[in-house]
Amino acid sequence: MSRTDRAVRMVAASLAAVYEALLDRESLEAWLPPEGMFGRVERWDPRTGGGFRMALTYVDPAGGPGKTTDATDVVDIGFAELAPSERVVQRAVFEADDPAYAGTMTMTWHLVGSDEGTEVTVTAVDVPPGIGQADHEAGIASSLANLASYVEAPH
């Protein structure tokens, strides 16, 4: 059975600034890893049909376990759709031997502008069963908080 996880956050920044942060390599490395992890983009091709590969490493490996190794989650992400200042649709595949993490998870980053900024809704469908729903939704919320801090701060 397919599972859907979701998180929403209002970000005090323009649609353009948020969209740019979704498609900039250095920005993603700064804000995408949830609390307790850091990330490194290993491959980068920011276009529809392109994508990236990211290695997420636990700051404290005892806080794992990782999906790829005890301390890391490696994920290949393809850009299925890029709609400027509206949405980014990603197809994510984890590098893991455990079949509980197999399959392709689709993550949609939907952006809606308002006077307060940009509402960002992240919807993940076909989440692998090895990823706990509460942990995943907390991780998405953490990434959204990082995104807000990143785009709201002067650079």
Side-chain angles (χ1 to χ4, degrees), residues 22-132:
L22 292 171
L23 290 176
D24 178 78
R25 180 182 190 149
E26 290 178 12
S27 297
L28 279 171
E29 286 181 335
W31 68 261
L32 186 61
E35 184 177 347
M37 300 185 91
F38 63 91
R40 183 182 75 255
V41 173
E42 298 178 339
R43 178 180 52 80
W44 184 248
D45 185 6
R47 61 179 177 82
T48 301
F52 63 100
R53 178 180 174 90
M54 180 173 253
L56 295 160
T57 303
Y58 288 89
V59 173
D60 176 6
K67 296 167 195 63
T68 307
T69 71
D70 286 343
T72 63
D73 294 346
V74 176
V75 61
D76 282 305
I77 297 177
F79 291 120
E81 181 184 356
L82 301 176
S85 297
E86 290 182 31
R87 104 187 121 267
V88 173
V89 180
Q90 303 170 333
R91 303 250 195 286
V93 177
F94 288 97
E95 185 178 294
D97 292 331
D98 186 336
Y101 301 111
T104 301
M105 176 175 62
T106 300
M107 295 189 69
T108 301
W109 300 74
H110 187 237
L111 314 177
V112 176
S114 73
D115 290 341
E116 292 109 36
T118 302
E119 182 180 80
V120 183
T121 303
V122 181
T123 306
V125 297
D126 298 326
V127 180
I131 301 172

